[in-house]
């Protein structure tokens, strides 16, 4: 088994380009122009001292990644968690979430917040499986809710 390396980069890093392109395509496919708009928001919020963009690298290739940004003094918001399409079903998204949690804790955050779209059942399942509290009724049709919000204490 190959070792995974965690790299802290800017979203504009060349190693992140393919992941960002895939994520942009996925958001646009699932949500139309609004999905593309999400990926055009400024990425400098994912840079220290308030945020971070991480890549999981395997044999020199970015296989997964994600970021967080400051929401308030105690809360970071997770964003752009993604696994490359050729590397799915290996637990990499879970590993990205774990790494982001560790990093956010090291930045002094005590709580994490995130939203995922109602057309991303795999993301909803990931956050439920990794201990995030849904801030919505999980029995309700996600398409009637809009963005699905979660939070988690990380002290």
């Amino acid at each position: 088994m190959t070792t995974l390396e965690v790299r802290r980069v800017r979203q504009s890093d060349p190693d992140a380009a393919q992941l960002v392109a895939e994520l942009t395509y996925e958001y646009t496919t699932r949500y139309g122009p609004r999905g593309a708009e999400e990926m055009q928001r400024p990425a400098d919020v994912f840079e220290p001292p308030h945020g971070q963009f991480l890549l999981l690298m395997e044999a020199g290739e970015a296989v997964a990644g994600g970021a967080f940004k400051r929401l308030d003094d105690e809360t970071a918001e997770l964003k752009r968690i993604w696994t490359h399409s050729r590397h799915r079903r290996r637990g990499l998204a879970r590993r990205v979430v774990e790494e982001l949690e560790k990093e956010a804790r090291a930045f002094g955050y005590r709580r994490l917040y995130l939203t995922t779209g109602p057309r991303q059942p795999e993301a909803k399942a990931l956050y439920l499986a990794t201990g995030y509290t849904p801030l919505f009724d999980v029995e309700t049709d996600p398409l009637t809710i809009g963005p699905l919000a979660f939070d988690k204490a990380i002290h």
Side-chain angles (χ1 to χ4, degrees):
M1 177 156 177
T2 322
T3 305
L4 294 172
E5 171 197 358
V6 178
R7 286 200 43 226
R8 292 158 186 83
V9 300
R10 293 174 154 233
Q11 182 177 303
S12 60
D13 187 289
D15 285 337
Q18 191 170 5
L19 284 175
V20 171
E22 268 201 348
L23 183 55
T24 302
Y25 175 79
E26 189 75 19
Y27 281 176
T28 303
T29 301
R30 292 189 193 202
Y31 301 106
R34 284 192 338 231
E37 288 169 17
E38 167 62 29
M39 293 303 292
Q40 291 171 359
R41 292 184 185 178
D44 60 350
V45 296
F46 305 131
E47 295 176 15
H50 301 296
Q52 187 64 70
F53 193 93
L54 300 176
L55 293 175
L56 289 185
M57 303 292 293
E58 182 177 62
E61 177 188 10
V63 294
F68 66 84
K69 66 179 187 169
R70 180 185 188 275
L71 199 57
D72 63 40
D73 287 344
E74 292 194 354
T75 310
E77 181 178 7
L78 298 187
K79 301 290 286 179
R80 302 187 182 170
I81 296 168
W82 188 248
T83 300
H84 189 288
S85 59
R86 290 193 319 263
H87 297 279
R88 300 226 169 106
R89 310 299 311 159
R90 296 176 49 201
L92 297 174
R94 181 181 290 262
R95 173 76 187 276
V96 168
V97 169
E98 290 169 4
E99 294 294 336
L100 289 170
E101 288 174 359
K102 284 193 281 191
E103 193 80 4
R105 196 177 297 111
F107 274 52
Y109 293 113
R110 300 174 50 83
R111 179 177 165 260
L112 292 174
Y113 172 83
L114 65 91
T115 60
T116 191
R119 294 187 179 118
Q120 292 172 262
E122 60 286 317
K124 176 184 170 186
L126 170 68
Y127 302 128
L128 289 172
T130 53
Y132 284 77
T133 301
L135 304 177
F136 59 94
D137 181 353
V138 294
E139 300 302 318
T140 301
D141 177 358
L143 294 176
T144 66
I145 296 173
L148 308 178
F150 294 83
D151 74 353
K152 182 178 187 178
I154 58 165
H155 5 260

